Amino acid sequence: MNASTPTAAASGVVATALGAAAAHLVAALVSPESSPVLAVGSQVIDLTPTPVKEWAVATFGTADKPVLIGSVTVVTLLAAAGAGALRLRSRVAATTVLLVLTALAGAAAVLRPSAGALAWMPALTAAVVGIAALEVLAARAGLLRAGPSPRPGQPSRRGLLALGGAGVGAAALGGTGQALIARNQPSTIGLPAAAEPLPPLAKGVEVGKAGVSPFVTPNGDFYRIDTALLAPRVDPGDWTLTIDGDVPDGFTLDIGELLSLPMVERDITLNCVSNEVGGDLIGHARWLGVPTRELLARAGLDEDPRDPDLQVLSTSTDGMTISTPLSALLDDRDALVAVGMNGAPLPREHGFPARLVTPGLYGFVGATKWLTRMTVTRYDAEPAYWTERDWATDGTVKTQSRIDTPAPLARIDAGRTIIGGVAWAQRRGIERVEVRVDDGPWRRATLGDEATVDCWRQWFLPWDATEGRHDLTVRATDGEGELQTSRTATPFPSGASGWHTIAVTVG
């Protein structure tokens, strides 16, 4: 390897970082989603096979997006290092690599469903700045051929200082762009009072045992699983909700018209189909919104056709589509177009200004965020995002239970302690929770009060822990008398199943 190669590779990395940072700044001004790393990352999400997605969620949980962004960044910088090394021999080859990288980013940005008219501009900025920076840095570093010499020059101290300065500049540009994106928050909305307000939750829903998940999940702790690398920034003044398709009277509402409709409050636990047995991709909130059956009745669907082939294809502002059985939005469950969450407007990460909330269904078929359209159609006419990836169309939540305390692999003191957690079976409720220590008998746990059948329930069981290693297992029986299945299933294609078992050491 030529002694100049490491410096040349570093020049490629720094030049590309400078171009990406400039592009991020431009994207902050025209369209944050078109920032090269975000645009490429979004396309990677769409093209990733389902098993790989499930592995990522199971391995990284809600950190899957930062990991993906980091992976895209690493691959890009490796290619950039290659371009820098190539510049020792050929300007054309190095420029071609950088052009390919930025062209891919530009194509990814332009092909996004939410792409604006200027979605191409950040990628063009990255190309111009990156290619120019590589030439300047290579020249400053003394890496280019001098006169008739067949070999590149040797790295100079001046060139190394230029590399450092360019790196600082890239950090400054990227940081400025990120600051602008963070400051560019959409205006909020004032929530109306509920026409049907709920009383405060009964104290008995909380069992009062340390380590058990709180009954109400704070908005900041609520799980987030979706395909958006950057949560859409929706200006409520520009937002509309359209209900169309196979309905007699389609219509469109703006935010003011939606907020003027009678609102109801409902306590509903939501969970993600990607939740593993014992996983934390679940949370509970008090939602404020308009019942979907009332909106569909306004469109002329005032009776449930009870046709399993009919769906509501809901669309997000970023182009994401989700299919929900029409009956689930017309029957007696409390499905909502929600605008409030735990007494506040929806956080941007959870669908501001409006989202779908459907009790008893996993989020991938009933919880569209950043909702902007609901189209009544048939499943075979317009497949949704997850349907095209072979996930189930019927996403009914399975009966599940989870041990929160003690933690898996914990070491605890011998003597009286508490085993506790939560159980859920939305639309059916939880009738009983039982716990087994090792191969001993099943013992019935004490349940917290039931808020509604759409909510999870806390539970606990006192345990006289003896020294040694122990396996703790939990199972639940739903309100219809059905015991939670012990059969192990992965989240794909219709949700995980099995009994949650953890190991602890006492003493």
Side-chain angles (χ1 to χ4, degrees), residues 105-195:
V110 170
L111 292 175
R112 299 304 299 163
S114 57
L118 298 177
W120 52 270
M121 186 175 289
L124 178 62
T125 301
V128 172
V129 173
I131 292 170
L134 179 58
E135 290 301 306
V136 171
L137 291 173
R140 290 289 181 90
L143 301 177
L144 304 184
R145 300 179 189 277
S149 173
R151 297 175 59 82
Q154 296 300 307
S156 67
R157 183 173 180 275
R158 179 186 178 193
L160 295 178
L161 289 174
L163 278 176
V168 172
L173 285 174
T176 302
Q178 190 60 32
L180 288 175
I181 291 174
R183 287 184 57 190
N184 186 26
Q185 298 292 341
S187 57
T188 188
I189 58 175
L191 292 181

Side-chain angles (χ1 to χ4, degrees), residues 219-492:
N219 291 356
D221 296 335
F222 211 92
Y223 78 93
R224 179 195 168 196
I225 295 291
D226 51 54
T227 62
L229 281 181
L230 184 67
R233 286 166 164 75
V234 183
D235 185 341
D238 297 330
W239 177 88
T240 58
L241 172 63
T242 297
I243 297 182
D244 61 4
D246 297 333
V247 295
D249 304 301
F251 64 93
T252 297
L253 294 171
D254 62 25
I255 192 65
E257 292 169 321
L258 178 65
L259 295 176
S260 70
L261 298 176
M263 296 274 164
V264 300
E265 286 183 322
R266 294 294 184 263
D267 287 316
I268 300 170
T269 298
L270 290 184
N271 47 311
C272 179
V273 72
S274 294
N275 201 27
E276 299 279 355
V277 172
D280 61 358
L281 302 182
I282 181 170
H284 179 88
R286 176 165 287 188
W287 307 90
L288 176 73
V290 179
T292 56
R293 57 179 171 270
E294 294 183 9
L295 291 169
L296 290 168
R298 177 171 173 174
L301 288 179
D302 51 5
E303 291 187 9
D304 185 354
R306 300 187 181 278
D307 184 343
D309 293 328
L310 286 175
Q311 64 163 328
V312 171
L313 186 77
S314 52
T315 305
S316 166
T317 57
D318 66 353
M320 177 68 180
T321 56
I322 282 178
S323 59
T324 308
L326 175 61
S327 291
L329 303 183
L330 287 174
D331 62 19
D332 62 352
R333 78 185 72 199
D334 292 316
L336 304 174
V337 170
V339 295
M341 181 179 183
N342 289 331
L346 291 171
R348 182 169 61 88
E349 292 77 11
H350 294 291
F352 180 84
R355 66 172 293 168
L356 197 61
V357 174
T358 312
L361 297 181
Y362 290 114
F364 83 109
V365 293
T368 312
K369 300 175 185 176
W370 313 291
L371 180 68
T372 190
R373 183 177 296 273
M374 298 169 64
T375 302
V376 178
T377 183
R378 305 187 76 81
Y379 280 104
D380 59 2
E382 293 188 63
Y385 181 92
W386 295 116
T387 308
E388 292 181 316
R389 287 155 179 79
D390 298 324
W391 287 82
T393 55
D394 180 9
T396 301
V397 172
K398 298 178 180 179
T399 302
Q400 283 286 288
S401 51
R402 183 182 75 197
I403 298 172
D404 289 341
T405 184
L409 303 180
R411 179 177 289 274
I412 61 177
D413 293 333
R416 179 59 64 101
T417 189
I418 291 294
I419 306 171
V422 287
W424 58 92
Q426 291 92 314
R427 302 300 299 145
R428 303 179 302 280
I430 293 295
E431 176 185 296
R432 183 169 63 253
V433 170
E434 298 167 295
V435 178
R436 182 176 65 192
V437 178
D438 299 321
D439 294 322
W442 288 101
R443 297 175 57 196
R444 189 161 182 168
T446 299
L447 290 173
D449 289 348
E450 181 180 75
T452 75
V453 295
D454 292 330
C455 305
W456 59 6
R457 293 184 77 172
Q458 295 182 348
W459 60 267
F460 73 95
L461 177 74
W463 174 41
D464 292 318
T466 58
E467 290 190 357
R469 180 189 181 279
H470 297 283
D471 293 326
L472 310 179
T473 304
V474 64
R475 68 183 187 185
T477 300
D478 69 21
E480 297 176 354
E482 289 292 324
L483 178 65
Q484 173 185 345
T485 180
S486 61
R487 184 178 63 84
T488 301
T490 62
F492 179 79

